[in-house]
Amino acid sequence: MTDSPSPKPGKVLVPAENLRVFAAALLQKGGLSPDHADTTAEVFVWAAQRGVDSHGIARVPAYLELLAKGIANATPEIRLESSTQAAVVLDADRAPGPVALTAAAEEAVTRARITGIAAVGVRRTVHTGAIGRYVSKIAEQGLVGLAFVAGMPNMGYTGAKGAAVATSPLAIAVPADGRAPLLLDMATATIALGKIRQAKASGTPLPEGAAATEDGTPTTDPERAVMPLPLGGAKGSGMSLAFELLTSVLVGAPIFADFHSGDPKGRKHRQNALLIAVDPAAFGGAEPFAESVEATLATLKTLTPADGAEGVYYPGERSAAVAAERAADGIPVAPKVWKQLTEAADELGVALPALAGERARSTARVVTERPHRYAKQLVSHLGRRAETSWDDERGEGRLLFRDGVGTLTAGDGALLLTVEAEGGSPERLEAVVGRHLVRFGTKDELVVEWLRDGGEPGGTYRAE
């Protein structure tokens, strides 16, 4: 690969799709099925694209460790235990959170379409990931999504010593026609654990009232801080306890009481969740709701910004803007995370993704009895989406796409197609182009054999 761009200092820029394919390949090598690997990778990249790097691609190495240690179940038997049409419990069997909660979100939408409102409780999952993704999936279907999560105690509780409750998050997503959905995604802690680690690494003092020592004493010293304090004191700790009741206790999988019981089994890592989908059509109509949502957000945007403020934003608006920017420029990956990912890729035998601005190159040998005829048909077919040319006498052609180029050479019994694309990867080129070539040429009983730049064999596709 050549033409590598100069990323921001200390960062590696990777196109979102390349990062998703790469993460999925690593997770599949770690034991997940292709579908579960794709789902988990998608949640990570969604978070990374929105700037939530603590729940983004940096989670891949941690998940590989969870899978290797058996903490996360690579082959879970997920089952639904329903008692009513509008409520169901999903037993995750220790599946990774993205797998379990994505399934829960889809189930909530399906049931809410019938009942107007539906709740899906999730028990025995492992690290739920960015829960904003799951309520966003609900909002993408035109419904309102709510989510609550309870996990292992790692945060102080007002009036108690030591870690007592979890930094349990909540998320709410409201669809907004013509705008990014309103997305409130917050924890019950004043500061994330990751922020404490970052402050410790940089030696930066922590904000007052944000963190505490092991015995619960507030501190601004990052060297002494081991846990965050609840947001708003008693308000944050009360919300965390309430979420434990709304999720863990409600689905018959309590965490808090078991954790503090003294039984070592009570400290086995696990999380629970509750996802709710609300169909506006059941509350007076979807169109009036959409109009009122637009009026509300539009009114908010007309408010006068406070001194020093860049503007007035609703929850989720700025992260959506970051997502759009990173979709165009690539997702920045921190050096430490990139090192972990490259080491994992080397160990598991997974090819690194092409970086933003790099050009991936692969050559396909299309085996056919009529290479010239097939080449002309292909050039004609692709003329609707690319600039094409074909010299029948020389048996050569050229394709010019928006972000890539291709060359065709017809010989005896085969056609060679070399494709280069910016920001792509050999695997991506082969998956998209190879399958298309086979579908287009089924009458010729084609076989498409890829040979990657450098001689490495790629995929093989056969017409049915």
Side-chain angles (χ1 to χ4, degrees), residues 33-403:
S33 69
D35 287 346
H36 286 181
D38 286 344
T39 297
T40 304
E42 189 274 332
V43 172
F44 291 159
V45 172
W46 181 90
Q49 198 167 336
R50 281 153 183 76
V52 190
D53 295 323
S54 60
H55 286 66
I57 200 67
R59 287 289 177 178
V60 172
Y63 268 56
L64 291 174
E65 186 176 352
L66 290 173
L67 291 165
K69 291 181 177 179
I71 296 173
N73 188 355
T75 57
E77 295 183 9
I78 299 174
R79 66 179 188 275
L80 295 175
E81 299 176 357
S82 179
S83 57
T84 70
Q85 195 171 23
V88 64
V89 173
L90 184 152
D91 190 306
D93 191 24
R94 297 183 294 107
V99 173
L101 270 73
T102 296
E106 294 170 352
E107 187 69 24
V109 169
T110 298
R111 290 172 179 262
R113 294 284 191 205
I114 300 171
T115 61
I117 183 170
V120 180
V122 180
R123 67 168 169 239
R124 296 200 304 146
T125 187
V126 178
H127 190 267
T128 51
I131 64 170
R133 178 54 186 145
Y134 315 119
V135 293
S136 292
K137 288 181 73 69
I138 294 173
E140 288 168 3
Q141 301 300 314
L143 280 65
V144 175
L146 300 89
F148 309 90
V149 169
M152 306 303 291
N154 59 357
M155 180 178 76
Y157 185 91
T158 303
K161 283 188 175 183
V165 291
T167 56
S168 299
L170 71 90
I172 301 171
V174 180
D177 290 348
R179 299 177 184 267
L182 180 145
L183 175 59
L184 175 67
D185 187 352
M186 56 172 282
T188 52
T190 300
I191 191 172
L193 278 168
K195 294 293 185 181
I196 296 176
R197 298 189 191 103
Q198 290 175 2
K200 186 174 296 185
S202 63
T204 306
L206 293 163
E208 291 280 353
T213 61
E214 189 172 358
D215 66 359
T217 303
T219 182
T220 60
D221 184 353
E223 291 296 331
R224 299 180 60 216
V226 298
M227 64 180 175
L229 288 170
L231 180 68
K235 296 178 181 178
S237 56
M239 289 172 66
S240 177
L241 188 62
F243 295 170
E244 164 72 5
L245 298 175
L246 283 173
T247 60
S248 304
V249 174
L250 189 65
V251 300
I255 294 176
F256 177 83
D258 287 353
F259 182 89
H260 293 289
S261 69
D263 185 347
K265 293 181 180 179
R267 302 208 167 196
K268 184 177 180 180
H269 179 79
R270 62 207 186 276
Q271 292 187 355
N272 302 306
L274 178 69
L275 270 66
I276 301 172
V278 181
D279 189 351
F283 292 81
E287 289 187 10
F289 176 75
E291 292 172 359
S292 294
V293 168
E294 170 55 28
T296 300
L297 299 182
T299 300
L300 179 79
K301 299 298 290 182
T302 65
L303 299 181
T304 303
D307 293 342
E310 296 179 358
V312 181
Y313 301 94
Y314 61 87
E317 184 179 7
R318 281 179 286 192
S319 64
V322 172
E325 179 182 338
R326 291 188 172 187
D329 300 336
I331 295 175
V333 181
K336 181 180 178 181
V337 175
W338 184 247
K339 182 175 183 293
Q340 293 174 332
L341 292 171
T342 54
E343 289 174 350
D346 183 61
E347 180 182 345
L348 298 173
V350 174
L352 292 176
L355 306 184
E358 286 186 336
R359 300 183 73 85
R361 181 174 184 269
S362 281
T363 299
R365 182 172 182 269
V366 184
V367 181
T368 174
E369 294 180 357
R370 294 169 287 178
H372 282 74
R373 178 181 175 184
Y374 176 71
K376 287 190 287 185
Q377 290 176 338
L378 181 63
V379 167
S380 174
H381 178 71
L382 293 177
R384 292 172 293 177
R385 63 188 71 181
E387 294 183 25
T388 62
S389 64
W390 176 253
D391 186 325
D392 195 43
E393 184 176 341
R394 298 177 61 184
E396 295 178 354
R398 184 171 176 82
L399 311 170
L400 181 62
F401 299 94
R402 181 174 59 85
D403 53 1

